[in-house]
């Protein structure tokens, strides 16, 4: 089996997927195709889009065996849409579908039944968690799932690599002609950044809402000119699962130590200057870094031009304090962010393509100075795994990890050196999501490692007297405590392929034994 | 020569344009093509889009002989962009271009030289005025110009019927990565509704600005993901020509009489009910109708759901008074509107495709209850001419005339019965822009004619005791004063073809003798 640029075995061809192009560096692939263009329509004055059941919408879209359907995951663990639509499709006897969701969560466990009964035979997603992830890792599907980053998904859809026949999109606030936003109504989720791509490129677009408002719903995130039908139902999601409340700051001393090192590294890096831009995660350490950075911004009178993400209430507060000029939001992570996006014109909703698609005319991750990312594992080549656990089972999501790492000037991984008895830094990660050549700094509670590709940063962080080690030294420290981790046992069967953002294959996931 | 549905002679083929599809009714054509998709790109982190001259941009876009370039006309008579870009292109020796501007004005007279020297050999536009229009009517171009409505232009671009190689778009407020809006800066124009279509579909997109702001410019009408380069120059337009001041109300008794009849007809029509929607023109009579309607709205406590256009300060005031819920704005007609669109979230910028493209999933003219339109001529089949004057020379623009007429439930023409010694109602209009089957009511200062297709309206307006006549009777009244107008003398040479919004040909314009 041929190896890609980072030494992973990539099959040349997979039944049900086709030929695979191996990963060959973050910007090595120059696209030559044209953007996908869906069929032109003719909706006449007086035509009605409003329907009173999902079943009628499925029938109206002429969904057939073998087609591709899509969903967004802005409702997270509160999502009712995907399960309802699949139940309806199953009832109608439609089979052999490809499910191209922006991501999948534990709430989608009922999908297992629809895989067993042949309704869904292929899955494309950013990630998957819970019993469904276990089932996939145990080989329930004949064809491997495709893991795509948020930018990679937008790219694939725009390029027509992943043609969506029908998108079923939950809409927290919608009029009868298809103008929708995500920040009003009982099922509000904030940004509809993932759904925007599906709405623009799917051949048929169905909006499903529990909050039908008077025409015209202005301003709107999804436009009537992209929508075929609107379905009004009782409830599209469980508000408790959709947005979480305010994020509390960590008191974990280990996370605080990581955050202290990370903040100091950012300060020393040369990127912490007026007008800098930043993306942070939602982990305890990431949020603590943002808090430390905020303090230094006030002290040094440094203001950020924008924050990007995955927006949390913390960034909203910094926007309101005038510390950050603008927020670019593909996904609102909490209650504060989900509300702010509908109220503050400087808090700007963006599509996943604007966020991270490498093949438009310049996505916003290109303009990112600093990104803080998490990791389940990092290897001595700086490759990062955020998808499979220490048992080899899928338990995470690709998200914007490899996208922001490729775009950002300073890509920093924050992670504890060990978790329980499991080392975070290893010889070879189980699964590569983000290639090491796009990672600059790894910050742990036991020290910092800088990618040797960044001699400039090694110099700066050394000068700042930060506890620098080689990545091998960090690995040694971890193994001293945990011992060498036992290799995971896999079968030969490939259960997932991991696409890099440019459509090449960076790794595969095998069935756990 | 075969005739189209309304009896106009349409050639089957024109050299330089191709085969022509004759008009066959407003919704008879069902599109079968896919949306045009431009080439995918790869803009890497660190790539620079900012250039300091138009020449560098022309070179960077690799513009070549025979290509199509486009412009927007939001700067109206204040536009510097088109002339500057064409001068640069001429200097670089590039020839034989198709110019696909959203419209052309008197300020574009220098284009005559670029036609003479072979830089521009074809023109596609909504309209043209002044010396350039005279030159075209006198046969300066070998290939006829194509007149497209605003909706028709968006349709043609999205369908790839009119592939734009390079769009040169003036941007009143722009950052170095291509996020732009139209409502800030010294050259502000309000909505960038026409430009939005070019930005999304042109293969290469150049923004030209005189107001470069800090990244990121949020919110933006044109997005960085659609922009190849940004050029900073001294001045993109003459503010005096771009937006006019507040519109004054007419005191012309004839216009006031027309307005009185029109307002009464609207009231009697059954469409003047809570939640109605409306589009008005900017002529004296149209504005006066809006004023009368406003008074009745207050008296009867009737509120409009939205107004559409072509937005004037008058509608902005009604929005602020709470009489209208939302404004949809493709083009801000005056200072008040141009400012409001950047300040009021209920005043919503829309693209020309959202406005009127008949081949997306439902444009907003479909939701229009009432539209007031002007006319240079109306014939006894209710066909309307807004493009050629009584001397047969081009002097107007198609605009959204046929789009709104097709979409609206009540399409009302307001016009004086005679202008000087020229009748407005005639046997056959010089040039058909809007087919009579989409016109419902013609209101003049000497009486009202309702299209016999609308017996329901005849009944309602008769019941309201309005001065109803047949269209032939109105024509008779006019001719009694003016006499029969002398026929215009044309040569056989076709100088323009008039496309209906669906891409079919509704009429041709011939060279004046």
């Amino acid at each position: 089996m041929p190896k890609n640029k980072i030494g992973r075995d990539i099959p040349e061809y997979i039944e049900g997927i086709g030929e695979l192009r191996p990963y060959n560096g973050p910007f090595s692939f120059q696209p030559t195709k044209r953007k996908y263009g869906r069929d032109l329509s003719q909706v006449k004055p007086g035509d009605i889009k409003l329907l009173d059941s999902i079943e009628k919408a499925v029938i109206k879209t002429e969904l057939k065996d073998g087609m591709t359907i899509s969903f967004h995951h802005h409702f997270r663990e509160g999502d009712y849409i995907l399960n309802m639509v699949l139940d309806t499709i199953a009832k109608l006897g439609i089979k052999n579908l490809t499910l191209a969701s922006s991501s999948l969560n534990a709430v989608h466990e009922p999908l297992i039944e629809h895989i067993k009964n042949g309704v869904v035979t292929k899955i494309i997603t950013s990630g998957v968690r819970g019993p469904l992830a276990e089932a996939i890792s145990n080989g329930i599907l004949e064809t491997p799932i495709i893991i795509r980053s948020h930018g990679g998904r937008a790219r694939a859809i725009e390029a027509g690599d992943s043609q969506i026949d029908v998108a079923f999109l939950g809409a927290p606030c919608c009029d009868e002609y298809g103008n929708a936003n995500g920040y009003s109504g009982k099922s509000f989720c904030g940004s509809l950044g993932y759904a925007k791509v599906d709405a623009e490129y799917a051949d048929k677009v169905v909006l499903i809402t529990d909050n039908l408002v008077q025409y015209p719903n202005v301003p709107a995130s999804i436009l009537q000119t992209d929508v075929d039908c609107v379905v009004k139902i009782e409830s599209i999601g469980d508000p408790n699962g959709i947005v979480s409340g305010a994020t509390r700051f960590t008191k974990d001393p280990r996370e605080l130590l990581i955050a202290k090192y990370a903040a100091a590294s950012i300060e020393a890096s040369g990127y912490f200057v007026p007008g800098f831009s930043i993306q942070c995660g939602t982990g305890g350490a990431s949020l603590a870094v943002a808090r430390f950075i905020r303090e230094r911004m006030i002290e040094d009178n440094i203001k950020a031009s924008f924050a990007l993400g995955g927006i949390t209430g913390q960034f909203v507060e910094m926007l309101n304090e005038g510390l950050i000029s603008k927020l670019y939001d593909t996904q609102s992570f909490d209650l504060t962010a989900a509300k702010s996006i509908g109220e503050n014109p400087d808090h700007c909703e963006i599509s996943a393509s604007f966020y991270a698609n490498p093949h438009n005319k310049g996505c916003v991750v290109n303009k990112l100075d600093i990104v803080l990312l998490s990791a389940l594992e990092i290897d001595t080549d700086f490759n990062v795994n955020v998808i499979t656990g220490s048992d080899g089972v899928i338990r995470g999501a690709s998200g914007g990890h490899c996208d922001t790492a490729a775009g950002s000037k300073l890509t920093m991984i924050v992670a504890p050196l060990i978790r329980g008895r499991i080392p975070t830094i290893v010889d070879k990660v189980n699964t590569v999501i983000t290639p090491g050549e796009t990672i600059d700094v790894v910050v742990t509670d036991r020290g910092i490692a800088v990618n040797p590709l960044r001699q400039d940063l090694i110099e700066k962080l050394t000068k700042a007297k930060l506890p620098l080690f080689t990545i091998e030294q960090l690995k040694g420290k971890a193994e001293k405590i945990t011992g060498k981790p036992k290799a995971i046992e896999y079968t030969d069967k490939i259960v997932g392929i991991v696409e890099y953002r440019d459509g090449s294959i960076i790794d595969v996931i095998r069935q756990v034994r």
Side-chain angles (χ1 to χ4, degrees), chain A:
Chain A
M1 208 177 277
K3 287 187 192 308
N4 67 10
K5 191 190 175 197
I6 57 164
R8 298 277 160 159
D9 295 326
I10 310 295
E12 287 170 82
Y13 178 88
I14 288 183
E15 192 62 40
I17 292 179
E19 283 182 23
L20 305 185
R21 177 163 48 83
Y23 169 78
N24 193 33
F27 300 104
S28 68
F29 177 70
Q30 182 65 37
T32 52
K33 287 169 74 169
R34 289 188 167 276
K35 260 185 168 186
Y36 178 74
R38 66 177 163 212
D39 281 336
L40 298 172
S41 311
Q42 186 183 207
V43 174
K44 298 173 192 170
D47 287 357
I48 304 292
K49 294 186 184 181
L50 189 64
L51 301 170
D52 60 9
S53 78
I54 292 172
E55 186 172 325
K56 285 181 187 161
V58 173
I59 293 165
K60 194 175 169 196
T61 61
E62 299 177 24
L63 184 72
K64 287 187 182 59
D65 287 8
M67 284 187 166
T68 297
I69 57 174
S70 81
F71 300 88
H72 70 69
H73 74 287
H74 289 287
F75 299 147
R76 286 163 279 249
E77 293 297 352
D79 180 43
Y80 291 168
I81 299 278
L82 189 144
N83 294 335
M84 281 191 299
V85 170
L86 279 174
D87 287 349
T88 307
I89 287 171
K91 207 183 105 193
L92 290 168
I94 303 166
K95 302 230 169 208
N96 195 22
L97 297 177
T98 297
L99 173 69
S101 187
S102 58
S103 205
L104 293 166
N105 288 301
V107 69
H108 301 125
E109 182 176 348
L111 186 48
I112 295 172
E113 278 314 302
H114 295 302
I115 293 171
K116 286 185 183 161
N117 64 25
V119 174
V120 172
T121 48
K122 294 181 198 173
I123 292 178
I124 307 170
T125 181
S126 166
V128 51
R129 292 181 172 87
L132 177 60
E134 295 257 359
I136 291 167
S137 282
N138 282 295
I140 193 175
L141 280 159
E142 210 157 299
T143 308
I145 66 167
I146 303 176
I147 300 291
R148 285 200 174 115
S149 71
H150 293 328
R153 180 178 193 265
R155 179 208 61 73
I157 292 171
E158 291 195 11
D161 289 356
S162 192
Q163 191 208 320
I164 297 166
D165 294 295
V166 187
F168 295 95
L169 305 174
C173 178
C174 187
D175 67 33
E176 41 89 8
Y177 215 54
N179 299 294
N181 74 55
Y183 45 76
S184 324
K186 62 178 178 178
S187 307
F188 75 101
C189 60
S191 175
L192 287 176
Y194 305 123
K196 282 167 81 78
V197 181
D198 303 52
E200 284 175 35
Y201 290 89
D203 285 329
K204 294 283 167 69
V205 176
V206 178
L207 298 192
I208 304 173
T209 191
D210 53 13
N211 177 34
L212 198 68
V213 298
Q214 209 203 324
Y215 184 90
N217 185 23
V218 167
S221 311
I222 292 174
L223 300 179
Q224 63 182 50
T225 42
D226 289 324
V227 176
D228 291 277
C229 40
V230 176
V231 182
K232 167 74 171 73
I233 60 171
E234 264 313 296
S235 181
I236 58 173
D238 173 7
N240 294 319
I242 296 176
V243 280
S244 51
T247 324
R248 265 186 292 163
F249 292 120
T250 184
K251 284 177 179 167
D252 178 340
R254 203 170 52 156
E255 287 189 333
L256 288 171
L257 188 59
I258 296 169
K260 198 188 106 184
Y261 288 155
S265 301
I266 288 170
E267 267 200 87
S269 71
Y271 298 113
F272 183 62
V273 292
F276 79 102
S277 60
I278 189 162
Q279 172 169 336
C280 282
T282 51
S286 268
L287 288 169
V289 176
R291 184 163 53 137
F292 291 148
I293 288 287
R294 175 181 168 276
E295 284 161 16
R296 298 314 308 258
M297 289 170 77
I298 295 169
E299 275 169 43
D300 299 354
N301 193 27
I302 288 178
K303 281 167 189 169
S305 56
F306 71 93
L308 176 64
I311 293 295
T312 59
Q314 195 171 12
F315 276 152
V316 171
E317 279 164 38
M318 288 166 76
L319 176 74
N320 293 335
E321 290 173 323
L323 293 172
I324 301 175
S325 286
K326 311 283 177 184
L327 299 181
Y328 273 137
D329 190 344
T330 26
Q331 182 180 11
S332 312
F333 270 139
D334 57 30
L335 196 68
T336 314
K339 283 194 170 165
S340 158
I341 202 169
E343 293 164 359
N344 190 335
D346 291 326
H347 185 163
C348 179
E349 183 179 28
I350 57 172
S351 78
S353 180
F354 187 95
Y355 174 48
N357 174 0
H359 296 163
N360 59 30
K361 292 182 188 285
C363 59
V364 67
V365 300
N366 284 356
K367 302 295 277 183
L368 202 51
D369 291 325
I370 302 161
V371 66
L372 287 158
L373 295 167
S374 65
L376 293 170
E377 293 177 313
I378 308 130
D379 68 24
T380 49
D381 291 330
F382 287 84
N383 298 315
V384 179
N385 170 23
V386 288
I387 192 89
T388 48
S390 59
D391 53 359
V393 174
I394 299 169
R395 52 166 286 195
S398 171
H401 204 284
C402 71
D403 298 309
T404 50
S408 186
K409 294 194 182 80
L410 174 63
T411 301
M412 186 177 285
I413 304 293
V414 288
L417 188 69
I418 58 168
R419 286 185 177 93
R421 298 297 298 171
I422 299 157
T424 303
I425 300 179
V426 295
D427 273 327
K428 278 203 175 309
V429 293
N430 289 333
T431 314
V432 180
I433 288 290
T434 299
E437 57 194 305
T438 63
I439 302 293
D440 300 309
V441 181
V442 175
V443 178
T444 74
D445 49 321
R446 302 295 182 95
I448 301 165
V450 178
N451 190 326
L453 294 170
R454 295 299 304 269
Q455 289 299 319
D456 59 324
L457 284 175
I458 293 178
E459 240 171 71
K460 281 175 179 142
L461 268 59
T462 306
K463 207 179 272 174
K465 303 203 167 107
L466 286 161
L468 246 59
F469 300 90
T470 65
I471 191 86
E472 290 80 9
Q473 286 173 326
L474 286 187
K475 189 191 70 134
K477 277 171 175 257
E479 284 180 0
K480 236 182 226 171
I481 306 162
T482 63
K484 273 246 177 226
K486 234 180 79 183
I488 301 164
E489 285 185 57
Y490 293 108
T491 74
D492 278 347
K493 178 171 172 173
I494 293 171
V495 297
I497 64 172
V498 181
E499 236 188 52
Y500 189 62
R501 62 197 300 247
D502 68 354
S504 64
I505 306 305
I506 195 157
D507 209 346
V508 298
I509 303 169
R510 286 172 200 273
Q511 183 179 13
V512 286
R513 201 182 285 276

